[in-house]
Amino acid sequence: MSQGTLFITHKALPGKRDEVRRAWETYLMPSIESRQVHDAYFYCYDDSDPDTIRVFQRYAEGADPQAFMQGPAYEAYIAAVSPLLAHPPEIHAATVAWAKDKAAPVSETA
């Protein structure tokens, strides 16, 4: 099994980005902080768009990113932020080909 990585983009309605972040802090941040399967997580504001949030998640070897997104914390978060978003989050899975990090294995297929 390999590490799973996700790149997620949230496009908030104009002026709602901070409200989306407050919902993330309420529903997801506590769960992410306590879960060992998230070995890296970056919640970022896009510098070129005041309504966009970009998230990078890396999961530990063998972890299933879909399992987290089917749990109650994620469901509550999506229910809270859906009225604040221009469209559903864009989620892209990726395979780590190289990283300056001993925890991220180099893919044999890259």
Side-chain angles (χ1 to χ4, degrees):
M1 295 228 150
S2 62
Q3 281 181 318
T5 58
L6 297 177
F7 292 91
I8 301 172
T9 301
H10 296 287
K11 178 69 171 182
L13 293 172
K16 300 292 184 183
R17 183 168 73 174
D18 288 338
E19 288 182 52
V20 172
R21 180 179 179 175
R22 284 191 290 278
W24 177 83
E25 289 171 341
T26 299
Y27 295 103
L28 292 184
M29 189 171 69
S31 178
I32 292 163
E33 285 181 325
S34 68
R35 291 170 51 88
Q36 294 300 313
V37 297
H38 282 106
D39 64 4
Y41 195 106
F42 296 86
Y43 187 95
C44 308
Y45 281 174
D46 187 311
D47 290 343
S48 65
D49 183 343
D51 299 316
T52 296
I53 299 161
R54 301 201 186 271
V55 177
F56 169 75
Q57 300 179 27
R58 187 179 65 203
Y59 289 77
E61 185 79 21
D64 179 11
Q66 293 299 318
F68 179 73
M69 294 191 307
Q70 294 168 355
Y74 190 78
E75 290 175 8
Y77 167 73
I78 290 298
V81 300
S82 289
L84 305 171
L85 298 177
H87 51 74
E90 295 176 12
I91 301 171
H92 300 276
T95 300
V96 175
W98 185 88
K100 185 180 175 180
D101 183 344
K102 291 180 183 180
V106 174
S107 172
E108 304 289 329
T109 61

